[in-house]
């Protein structure tokens, strides 16, 4: 009798385990089929299978995908995607504004990632009309960058890596911010273009300047990238000039003074406080916002 009861007990346990296993697998499949993500432009992306093939149509997106371990999933990039250096081996499908749709179709991507700020809405609509999953990210603020990392990570199955990266970025930014609290703010001017003089007023670069202990003299402008007159710049007289370029600091200074001799009177020029920063680091809303903030922090010491 005891033996019969024991056999019955183990049989029941086996049946329960089997039912639980099947149930868990069914729940997992149902959940995966219903993964929905709201793009930064308001559209909904529904993922019904594992994402293994990705195309990135923006350099900052390429950097995000690579930084969370998704490099092997990348099958297409733009001609401006150059970091990390390993991406050079990936097929180019166009640039920020013009893409080769035949190449994209041939790659058969599970998802195409785009940038609201860099890519055109026409490209987005065209790719979507081809029946291809497309997701648009935004990088106007530090929070946007972190959210983009989290969303891309969740879509491509790298959520754990994305969370770790976000934690690391957040800690670095918080640390720099705390070190900048007691700084005497220095007036900063960023030169995007010299003729006409164009600067940056808002967005993640402006946020980085503030975090690093500076005050962007253009932040009260209405436009994101306003024009500045010579007289206006001379009147505001910044302590530091940031010139994102591939020039040396001295060459950046010379190029500006050669074009505008009167700028010799600027405090930043007289004190040789004009700094050239790699434009890719300065202008890309990617995980390298930490690098940008660190550079600015050192400049504004």
């Amino acid at each position: 009798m005891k033996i019969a009861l024991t056999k019955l007990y183990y049989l029941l346990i086996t049946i329960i385990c089997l039912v639980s296993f099947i149930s868990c697998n069914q729940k997992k499949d149902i959940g995966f089929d219903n993964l929905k993500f709201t793009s930064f432009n308001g559209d909904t992306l529904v993922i019904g299978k594992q994402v293994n093939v990705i195309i990135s149509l923006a350099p900052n997106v390429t950097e995000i995908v690579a930084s969370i371990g998704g490099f092997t999933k990348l099958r297409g990039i733009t001609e401006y995607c150059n970091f990390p250096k390993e991406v050079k081996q990936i097929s180019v499908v166009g640039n920020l504004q013009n893409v080769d749709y035949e190449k994209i179709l041939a790659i058969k991507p599970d998802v195409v990632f785009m940038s609201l700020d860099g890519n055109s809405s026409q490209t987005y609509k065209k790719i979507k009309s081809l029946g291809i999953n497309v997701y648009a990210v935004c990088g106007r603020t530090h929070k946007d960058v972190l959210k983009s990392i989290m969303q891309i990570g969740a879509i491509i199955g790298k959520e754990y890596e994305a969370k770790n990266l976000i934690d690391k970025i957040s800690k670095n930014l918080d640390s720099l911010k705390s070190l900048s609290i007691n700084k005497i703010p220095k007036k900063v001017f960023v030169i995007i273009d010299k003729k006409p003089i164009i600067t940056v007023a808002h967005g993640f670069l402006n946020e980085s300047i503030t975090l690093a202990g500076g005050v962007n003299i253009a932040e009260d402008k209405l436009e994101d990238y306003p024009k500045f007159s010579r007289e206006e710049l001379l009147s505001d007289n910044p302590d530091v000039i940031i010139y994102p370029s591939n020039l040396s600091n001295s060459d950046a200074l010379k190029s500006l003074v050669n074009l505008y001799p009167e700028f010799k009177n600027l405090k930043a020029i007289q004190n040789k406080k004009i700094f050239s920063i790699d434009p890719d680091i300065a202008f890309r809303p990617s995980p390298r916002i930490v690098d940008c903030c660190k550079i600015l922090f050192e400049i504004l010491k």
Side-chain angles (χ1 to χ4, degrees), residues 84-145:
K85 62 182 180 180
E86 289 80 11
V87 301
K88 292 180 181 179
Q89 61 189 274
I90 299 172
S91 177
V92 172
V93 297
N95 54 43
L96 289 171
Q97 296 298 314
N98 300 294
V99 299
D100 189 327
Y101 298 108
E102 289 186 3
K103 277 189 177 182
I104 291 176
L105 284 168
I107 291 172
K108 297 179 180 178
D110 295 318
V111 181
V112 173
F113 288 106
M114 300 178 62
S115 166
L116 280 181
D117 305 300
N119 300 119
S120 70
S121 58
Q122 288 81 7
T123 300
Y124 180 91
K125 291 175 183 176
K126 177 64 176 178
I127 292 175
K128 194 170 183 180
S129 72
L130 294 172
I132 298 172
N133 287 326
V134 58
Y135 187 88
V137 302
C138 178
R140 289 169 190 158
T141 67
H142 287 176
K143 283 186 178 180
D144 286 340
V145 175

Side-chain angles (χ1 to χ4, degrees), residues 25-290:
N25 279 344
Q26 285 178 338
K27 286 179 181 178
K28 186 176 180 181
D29 290 341
I30 291 170
F32 193 84
D33 288 340
N34 289 323
L35 287 180
K36 294 182 180 180
F37 302 91
T38 302
S39 184
F40 278 76
N41 63 356
D43 283 357
T44 299
L45 170 67
V46 180
I47 298 294
K49 65 175 183 176
Q50 185 175 342
V51 173
N52 293 315
V53 180
I54 301 167
I55 289 178
S56 167
L57 294 183
N60 63 307
V61 171
T62 299
E63 292 189 22
I64 290 173
V65 171
S67 67
I68 58 176
F71 176 78
T72 57
K73 296 174 183 281
L74 275 169
R75 296 291 186 276
I77 58 171
T78 75
E79 61 187 67
Y80 301 118
C81 298
N82 57 6
F83 187 88
K85 62 182 180 180
E86 289 80 11
V87 301
K88 292 180 181 179
Q89 61 189 274
I90 299 172
S91 177
V92 172
V93 297
N95 54 43
L96 289 171
Q97 296 298 314
N98 300 294
V99 299
D100 189 327
Y101 298 108
E102 289 186 3
K103 277 189 177 182
I104 291 176
L105 284 168
I107 291 172
K108 297 179 180 178
D110 295 318
V111 181
V112 173
F113 288 106
M114 300 178 62
S115 166
L116 280 181
D117 305 300
N119 300 119
S120 70
S121 58
Q122 288 81 7
T123 300
Y124 180 91
K125 291 175 183 176
K126 177 64 176 178
I127 292 175
K128 194 170 183 180
S129 72
L130 294 172
I132 298 172
N133 287 326
V134 58
Y135 187 88
V137 302
C138 178
R140 289 169 190 158
T141 67
H142 287 176
K143 283 186 178 180
D144 286 340
V145 175
L146 298 181
K147 183 180 177 182
S148 295
I149 293 171
M150 192 68 256
Q151 289 289 73
I152 290 173
I155 291 169
I156 70 173
K158 295 290 182 180
E159 192 169 5
Y160 176 78
E161 291 84 353
K163 285 180 179 178
N164 284 342
L165 179 59
I166 289 170
D167 287 343
K168 184 178 178 182
I169 291 172
S170 298
K171 286 177 182 177
N172 274 286
L173 294 180
D174 288 343
S175 176
L176 288 171
K177 188 175 181 179
S178 64
L179 291 172
S180 301
I181 290 176
N182 296 322
K183 275 186 177 182
I184 298 174
K186 293 181 180 178
K187 294 194 296 183
V188 178
F189 185 75
V190 180
I191 296 178
I192 293 179
D193 201 351
K194 293 184 296 182
K195 195 173 183 180
I197 300 172
I198 298 176
T199 188
V200 60
H202 315 120
F204 67 92
L205 182 52
N206 177 62
E207 194 175 349
S208 296
I209 291 169
T210 302
L211 185 145
V215 176
N216 181 6
I217 64 174
E219 67 179 355
D220 60 342
K221 298 291 184 181
L222 295 177
E223 304 94 337
D224 289 335
Y225 302 100
K227 291 181 181 180
F228 244 68
S229 69
R230 304 186 209 182
E231 295 76 19
E232 200 173 5
L233 187 55
L234 285 166
S235 175
D236 288 337
N237 200 15
D239 300 302
V240 174
I241 292 176
I242 305 296
Y243 183 25
S245 70
N246 295 314
L247 299 172
S248 65
N249 292 340
S250 59
D251 286 342
L253 188 153
K254 289 176 184 176
S255 67
L256 189 60
V257 172
N258 286 342
L259 191 59
Y260 303 109
E262 66 271 30
F263 284 179
K264 289 180 180 179
N265 297 317
L266 289 172
K267 192 187 301 182
I269 299 294
Q270 291 178 345
N271 295 327
K272 295 184 179 179
K273 294 294 182 181
I274 178 168
F275 298 92
S276 178
I277 298 180
D278 182 343
D280 290 346
I281 293 177
F283 294 138
R284 284 185 188 172
S286 75
R288 288 198 287 172
I289 55 173
V290 172

